[in-house]
Amino acid sequence: MDYLKIQGTPSLSGTIKISGAKNASLPLIAMCILAKNKVKINNLPDVVDIKTLLKLLSNLGSECSFGVNEVVIDTSMMHETKATYEIVKTMRASILVLCPILARFGHCEVSLPGGCAIGQRPIDLHLKALEKMGAVIEIKAGYVEAKAPKGLKGCEIIFDKITVTGTANIVMAAALADGVTTIVNAAREPEVVQLCEILNDSGITIEGIGTAVLKIQGNGGKLIDIQPFSIIPDRIEAGTYLCAGAITNSELTLTDVEPKHLDAVLAKLEEMGFSFTTTSNTITIHPTDEIKPVKIITQEYPAFPTDMQAQFMALATQANGTSVIEERLFENRFMHVSELQRMGAEISLNGHIATVNGKTELSGTDVMATDLRASSALVLAGLIAKGETDVHRIYHLDRGYDALEMKLKNAGANVQRLKE
Ligand code: EPZ
């Protein structure tokens, strides 16, 4: 297994190019199951989760031909409708194939994804919505078995909770349903917006894109002609590198980024004393005289993203004063805390609320990654810790960060990827 060896770095400089968004790529790859033509996807990030989903599509009989950060997906020969545990257990977002397969073939079996480190991650809202659209759902031996031999029917779906992949799944089901589907309490994340925009551009009329109420005009089960598209920039990768610039108090420029997807993150960094210069596709963070403490509550987009919570926890250790971070989406998303504490961070937990006292000097040591975003928080801490930090189990990082150590090295960090 690989690990990252990080020496404390006085500061970073230069530019970091942001890759395509992992969480936009996953539903858009699943969407290709609805296509009647070969679909060309550009600006695809080179991360493990994308490879996993493309492998799943190949196992189902699709053909994927790869270029650099691009893929052409041909699902015309798709014949399998069962997504097996072997793949789904490694990436719970595989659940995104459930609705496209069901909408296209009238039946589908997908292994229950199981929980993950950050929480139980149920899919009850996906399944309840599908049943309302006429699917018959059974859970058998750890698999979801869904049937809709006569196709799915458009109807009104009201999500009890905002669910990102739940919204994406039902949008894809609705695209081939008979009649209109209205989704109330829909997720508004940019990744869901791009899925709706691509479907809308491909002839599936969707009203309310970017709002909490989506109205999808289904085409009654016909496959869709999907034009080539390019994945939007990864706002969480961008936020992570903004925190790298912040924690080292550096001047750092991100390119190929979409600033408007980062309003809540930029607002919190401004509260902490940082300032920015932005253009349509770049953000430069400027150093501050003093890093101020911050209060953060994670909520659905456009509020502060849970996927940036761990990174801000690392940053808050360098603020002069007490920061408070409340995690409202996942039940177990504080696993980075114990590792940060081992580096000297003063963090106390009370249920879903973490209190971080700063400024504390962190010391390098061996730390263990536990989930994707927690791993990035440990890398950020390693950038400013005294001495050497070895971050183990970085397969978590490789799931969602494209060439992280190369990007940090190019910005002046002392990071090496080594073998255990
Ligand atoms: C997506 O996960 C992202 N993953 C996550 O990013 C992100 O943290 C999360 O949205 C929240 O923004 C992808 O897009 C692939 P949810 P998702 O369904 O869709 C509850 C990363 O680091 N819920 O929006 O699985 C659930 O338990 C990953 O890139 C139900 O109760 O999250 C949670 O409390 C981590 N029943 C809340 O809703 C359901 O059927 C939000 O979950 C579905 C969800």
Side-chain angles (χ1 to χ4, degrees), residues 250-401:
S250 312
E251 174 131 327
L252 188 64
T253 295
L254 307 187
T255 62
D256 294 64
V257 65
E258 177 49 85
K260 68 174 190 290
H261 291 163
L262 284 148
D263 286 351
V265 171
L266 292 172
K268 286 299 170 186
L269 287 170
E270 276 168 3
E271 278 181 39
M272 297 180 85
F274 297 96
S275 57
F276 301 91
T277 309
T278 60
T279 68
S280 58
N281 64 352
T282 65
I283 301 175
T284 299
I285 182 170
H286 304 290
T288 175
D289 301 335
E290 182 200 16
I291 301 179
K292 300 188 191 81
V294 71
K295 183 168 168 38
I296 283 172
I297 299 172
T298 66
Q299 294 175 91
E300 295 84 1
Y301 193 88
F304 188 88
T306 174
D307 292 350
M308 285 301 306
Q309 180 258 104
Q311 299 91 315
F312 269 74
M313 181 114 35
L315 175 58
T317 66
Q318 303 309 300
N320 290 324
T322 300
S323 297
V324 179
I325 297 176
E326 182 177 348
E327 172 55 56
R328 284 205 179 157
L329 269 83
F330 291 111
E331 58 269 35
N332 188 32
R333 205 168 196 176
F334 281 150
M335 280 171 300
H336 41 286
V337 170
S338 50
E339 297 303 289
L340 290 171
Q341 286 168 331
R342 293 182 54 248
M343 297 177 76
E346 285 181 27
I347 305 171
S348 55
L349 291 182
N350 176 9
H352 287 185
I353 296 177
T355 303
V356 186
N357 289 324
K359 172 171 181 166
T360 46
E361 182 169 84
L362 302 182
S363 310
T365 183
D366 285 282
V367 289
M368 193 173 72
T370 50
D371 61 272
L372 172 56
R373 306 304 173 183
S375 326
S376 69
L378 300 178
V379 172
L380 297 178
L383 289 179
I384 44 101
K386 200 159 49 63
E388 200 172 82
T389 301
D390 289 353
V391 183
H392 300 277
R393 297 192 182 180
I394 55 166
Y395 56 84
H396 291 291
L397 268 179
D398 295 336
R399 296 189 50 170
Y401 287 98

Side-chain angles (χ1 to χ4, degrees), residues 51-358:
K51 294 189 180 102
T52 302
L53 189 56
L54 290 169
K55 183 167 182 318
L56 171 54
L57 256 64
S58 307
N59 292 356
L60 297 173
S62 307
E63 264 186 37
C64 303
S65 11
F66 298 92
V68 177
N69 295 117
E70 62 180 46
V71 66
V72 175
I73 300 175
D74 179 356
T75 60
S76 57
M77 307 302 285
M78 215 174 124
H79 47 77
E80 262 302 316
T81 60
K82 179 171 185 175
T84 60
Y85 178 68
E86 285 61 42
I87 284 226
V88 176
K89 74 175 182 227
T90 64
M91 187 190 63
R92 59 174 315 286
S94 309
I95 196 63
L96 282 163
V97 303
L98 169 65
C99 288
I101 295 176
L102 179 62
R104 173 168 171 172
F105 295 99
H107 57 90
C108 171
E109 281 178 271
V110 178
S111 164
L112 278 170
C116 74
I118 64 175
Q120 204 251 330
R121 311 293 295 274
I123 57 167
D124 57 307
L125 301 178
H126 302 232
L127 303 182
K128 201 169 117 190
L130 269 181
E131 284 179 325
K132 190 154 184 218
M133 297 176 78
V136 176
I137 308 266
E138 283 185 87
I139 307 289
K140 274 187 196 164
Y143 278 77
V144 174
E145 287 190 18
K147 292 188 180 76
K150 297 196 186 69
L152 296 165
K153 298 275 172 292
C155 65
E156 181 180 69
I157 302 286
I158 302 176
F159 275 129
D160 299 345
K161 289 176 85 168
I162 294 173
T163 161
V164 174
T165 50
T167 301
N169 236 337
I170 298 307
V171 163
M172 292 190 279
L176 265 57
D178 197 6
V180 177
T181 300
T182 302
I183 302 175
V184 180
N185 204 20
R188 297 162 54 192
E189 273 68 3
E191 297 77 27
V192 173
V193 168
Q194 184 171 31
L195 172 70
C196 293
E197 286 172 341
I198 303 289
L199 285 169
N200 193 60
D201 295 347
S202 307
I204 301 293
T205 306
I206 300 180
E207 295 169 35
I209 296 177
T211 75
V213 180
L214 295 172
K215 200 170 167 185
I216 302 112
Q217 175 67 53
N219 72 5
K222 292 191 290 297
L223 294 181
I224 309 168
D225 197 347
I226 296 175
Q227 297 312 306
F229 57 86
S230 194
I231 302 288
I232 57 172
D234 192 316
R235 62 191 169 98
I236 305 301
E237 183 198 21
T240 304
Y241 288 122
L242 286 174
C243 285
I247 205 167
T248 55
N249 206 14
S250 312
E251 174 131 327
L252 188 64
T253 295
L254 307 187
T255 62
D256 294 64
V257 65
E258 177 49 85
K260 68 174 190 290
H261 291 163
L262 284 148
D263 286 351
V265 171
L266 292 172
K268 286 299 170 186
L269 287 170
E270 276 168 3
E271 278 181 39
M272 297 180 85
F274 297 96
S275 57
F276 301 91
T277 309
T278 60
T279 68
S280 58
N281 64 352
T282 65
I283 301 175
T284 299
I285 182 170
H286 304 290
T288 175
D289 301 335
E290 182 200 16
I291 301 179
K292 300 188 191 81
V294 71
K295 183 168 168 38
I296 283 172
I297 299 172
T298 66
Q299 294 175 91
E300 295 84 1
Y301 193 88
F304 188 88
T306 174
D307 292 350
M308 285 301 306
Q309 180 258 104
Q311 299 91 315
F312 269 74
M313 181 114 35
L315 175 58
T317 66
Q318 303 309 300
N320 290 324
T322 300
S323 297
V324 179
I325 297 176
E326 182 177 348
E327 172 55 56
R328 284 205 179 157
L329 269 83
F330 291 111
E331 58 269 35
N332 188 32
R333 205 168 196 176
F334 281 150
M335 280 171 300
H336 41 286
V337 170
S338 50
E339 297 303 289
L340 290 171
Q341 286 168 331
R342 293 182 54 248
M343 297 177 76
E346 285 181 27
I347 305 171
S348 55
L349 291 182
N350 176 9
H352 287 185
I353 296 177
T355 303
V356 186
N357 289 324

